[in-house]
Amino acid sequence: MANIALIIAGGSGARMHQNIPKQFLTVNEKPVIVYTLEAFQNHADIDAISVVCIEGWESVLRAYTSQFNITKLSSVVTGGKNGQDSIRNGIFELEKHYAPDDIVLIHDAIRPMVSAEIISDCIVKTQLYGCGIATVPCAEAMMITEDGVISAGSYPRDQLKRTQTPQGFRLGGICSLHRRALEAGITNSVASCTLMIEMGEQVYFSAGSEKNIKLTTVDDIDIFKALLNTRQAEWIKR
């Protein structure tokens, strides 16, 4: 049974307001996507890595994987018009080469701080339940609003989870889900876990982390740099 990481790098990163896609921004002399790839490259239970890449950047990606010795890279697939489309492109390509019971971990290229523990727990939960969605508890008070300006109600935070990636699935199951979604006219679900819910399925949680941040804004880059410095400092102390 194979465990494949499917890295989604198909977005343009408009909210970052930079001239290049945010997954290719350089932080401390290394592209963001390389940090992400290295996390899966260095995990003993990951057998292969596939990347769904924004159109026009495939050669850049391959150059980086060669430069940084990402030897587990098995394929590069061109992204689609939205996240659901890109994931579908990726899993349908994997379906040509792997078995239905193999596990695919779908992960955002712009979550470069994913830990080995998060990856391992996602694999374990997917083996047990057929899917595993990295999540963290909701610590903030959650307010309900209709106009984004005022609120007269709240929602119990202990009934909420904040989802992250990786999100793990049996390859055959997630491919079947996407085919059924197309037949149902669902073409732009926010994430694989939301697509599961929209299609009447249930999801199981795996471990996430507050450090497993998604780089969406320039502020997130600053947090990422701080986390990198902290990790380096901890390594020096050991």
Side-chain angles (χ1 to χ4, degrees):
M1 182 181 298
N3 299 315
I4 312 110
L6 180 64
I7 310 302
I8 307 302
S12 61
R15 285 176 289 181
M16 192 72 74
H17 304 296
Q18 302 299 309
N19 293 328
I20 67 173
K22 54 191 172 184
Q23 58 270 32
F24 290 102
L25 291 173
T26 298
V27 176
N28 294 356
E29 301 182 353
K30 186 185 294 185
V32 166
I33 192 170
V34 172
Y35 290 97
T36 306
L37 291 169
E38 286 178 336
F40 291 92
Q41 171 73 27
N42 295 332
H43 196 287
D45 292 333
I46 295 297
D47 300 294
I49 300 170
S50 180
V51 179
V52 179
C53 186
I54 185 169
E55 186 174 5
W57 286 80
E58 296 91 345
S59 61
V60 175
L61 173 67
R62 288 192 180 276
Y64 284 149
T65 57
S66 176
Q67 178 184 353
F68 291 94
N69 200 31
I70 307 299
T71 59
K72 291 182 181 179
L73 182 71
S74 63
S75 61
V76 177
V77 182
T78 301
K81 60 182 180 296
N82 57 42
Q84 182 178 331
D85 204 26
S86 290
I87 291 171
R88 186 173 62 249
N89 287 357
I91 59 175
F92 282 7
E93 177 61 27
L94 290 178
E95 189 180 35
K96 300 173 185 176
H97 308 284
Y98 295 95
D101 282 344
D102 288 340
I103 288 174
V104 55
L105 270 58
I106 301 170
H107 186 72
D108 300 321
I110 51 174
R111 287 191 187 271
M113 292 295 292
V114 61
S115 68
E117 292 79 12
I118 291 173
I119 295 170
S120 294
D121 195 57
C122 189
I123 292 172
V124 169
K125 294 302 192 303
T126 305
Q127 288 172 336
L128 287 173
Y129 305 117
C131 74
I133 309 300
T135 61
V136 292
C138 184
E140 299 83 4
M142 303 304 296
M143 308 303 293
I144 300 170
T145 181
E146 294 183 1
D147 60 5
V149 178
I150 61 171
S151 174
S154 63
Y155 198 90
R157 64 186 180 187
D158 59 349
Q159 295 182 24
L160 297 172
K161 290 280 191 180
R162 290 162 44 215
T163 64
Q164 302 179 337
T165 62
Q167 299 188 6
F169 305 90
R170 298 284 185 190
L171 180 57
I174 191 66
C175 287
S176 174
L177 182 82
H178 274 263
R179 289 190 174 95
R180 290 192 288 117
L182 283 177
E183 292 174 359
I186 299 173
T187 59
N188 194 17
S189 194
V190 173
S192 297
C193 58
T194 59
L195 185 61
M196 286 279 284
I197 299 300
E198 289 175 61
M199 294 303 297
E201 305 289 341
Q202 62 184 10
V203 299
Y204 293 84
F205 300 141
S206 63
S209 170
E210 294 290 353
K211 293 181 181 179
N212 186 25
I213 62 169
K214 185 176 183 179
L215 306 185
T216 304
T217 67
V218 173
D219 288 343
D220 297 326
I221 294 289
D222 292 335
I223 295 170
F224 176 42
K225 289 179 180 178
L227 289 170
L228 284 174
N229 290 335
T230 300
R231 185 167 65 183
Q232 184 179 30
E234 290 173 350
W235 178 82
I236 292 171
K237 290 177 184 177
R238 288 198 295 270

